[in-house]
Amino acid sequence: MRFLVLSDLHANLEALTAVLERARELGWDRTLALGDLVGYGADPDVVVEATRRLPGLIIVRGNHDRVASGERPSPDLGPSALRAAVWTRRHLSSESREFLACLPPGPLVFTPGGILVHGSPVDEDDYLLDEDEGARAFQALDFHVGFFGHTHLPGSFVSRREAVAWLDIAGDGAAFPLGETDRHLINPGSVGQPRDGDPRASFAIYDDHARQVTIHRVPYDVASARRKILEAGLPAALGDRLLHGI
Ligand code: ZN
């Protein structure tokens, strides 16, 4: 089975369109979505609709999805994220808002030994940023392959004989095999707001038969996504950061 793994789409239709074009060339059976369909970008409703239609969708919610669908924002949501969340609420159809409101929290088991989370298996809102946090995540749950998002940084935590290491995965088409006895916690990077200095949209293909994950990076029409953010009156920084992938 081949899984298309998408995270942090952030209402960026141009990025999602480019990702799906490339994914169609590669082929996939089921879709795993790690949350944050909306927030920051100017096309929340179309992105929710397009995501809902993806084949064999298995999905968990992200913090932006919760706020956009009506939950009270947590105090750690920054001012521009908050402004974008309020704007997003007003630009979602009631169907899309309802869809987001009903998304399950992670961790969610998608296959025996495989889990999805937005932030961390410990807490859906935690950021997995270093190896200590990675180690706690491996201890929190018994899984073999996990996918997470939230940090927008592609790579993988690998747990091998109790030691946990972080592996940066840069560039387009970077493939890494999943060791038979290793445990993996993989971030496919962000579709709609990459933050690793590479502005190209990021996603992964997980082939559970070949035991391999490949990260793909695709260029998209950043200028158009940015222009729409500015025209919508959203904070300009949300458009500008897309130019640099930060
Ligand atoms: Zn996000």
Side-chain angles (χ1 to χ4, degrees):
M1 176 98 71
R2 284 165 66 81
F3 296 92
L4 169 64
V5 192
L6 306 177
S7 191
D8 298 281
L9 294 77
H10 286 296
N12 187 335
L13 180 63
E14 286 78 4
L16 179 60
T17 304
V19 161
L20 294 179
E21 222 163 85
R22 171 75 70 83
R24 272 192 283 274
E25 290 164 16
L26 299 165
W28 84 99
D29 306 296
R30 299 206 69 167
T31 311
L32 308 177
L34 311 177
D36 279 2
L37 271 54
V38 301
Y40 300 138
D43 280 305
D45 205 57
V46 199
V47 165
V48 170
E49 278 179 16
T51 307
R52 289 178 69 171
R53 287 197 301 268
L54 292 172
L57 179 67
I58 307 172
I59 180 169
V60 291
R61 67 189 186 184
N63 50 320
H64 287 261
D65 303 323
R66 296 209 314 271
V67 177
S69 60
E71 189 176 293
R72 236 160 43 119
S74 77
D76 60 341
L77 207 65
S80 46
L82 193 59
R83 246 176 83 192
V86 172
W87 182 93
T88 300
R89 258 186 222 179
R90 292 205 312 267
H91 289 82
L92 285 171
S93 67
S94 49
E95 288 84 17
S96 293
R97 224 179 358 250
E98 182 66 15
F99 175 77
L100 294 179
C102 293
L103 292 180
L108 184 73
V109 175
F110 71 95
T111 192
I115 60 157
L116 307 181
V117 294
H118 181 63
S120 156
V122 177
D123 184 308
E124 61 177 327
D125 289 340
D126 279 359
Y127 289 89
L128 284 179
L129 284 166
D130 63 38
E131 286 156 352
D132 287 343
E133 287 157 0
R136 272 195 294 280
F138 282 115
Q139 280 158 17
L141 257 188
D142 186 19
F143 63 91
H144 202 71
V145 180
F147 289 96
F148 74 102
H150 203 31
T151 63
H152 301 206
L153 303 171
S156 179
F157 288 104
V158 184
S159 168
R160 184 174 298 164
R161 288 186 224 96
E162 305 307 308
V164 172
W166 169 255
L167 205 70
D168 265 326
I169 303 171
D172 179 33
F176 63 98
L178 305 183
E180 198 70 50
T181 53
D182 299 343
R183 299 171 70 200
H184 288 267
L185 199 45
I186 301 146
N187 191 322
S190 168
V191 171
Q193 196 196 74
R195 292 181 189 164
D196 62 336
D198 182 343
R200 295 176 296 177
S202 189
F203 71 98
I205 296 280
Y206 166 44
D207 186 324
D208 65 350
H209 188 71
R211 301 187 55 78
Q212 179 168 286
V213 172
T214 313
I215 304 277
H216 297 272
R217 302 303 291 257
V218 285
Y220 69 94
D221 192 346
V222 175
S224 167
R226 175 173 174 269
R227 192 178 57 244
K228 286 192 212 166
I229 287 172
L230 301 180
E231 284 171 0
L234 287 160
L238 296 177
D240 294 343
R241 66 186 303 171
L242 299 178
L243 296 170
H244 311 289
I246 52 169

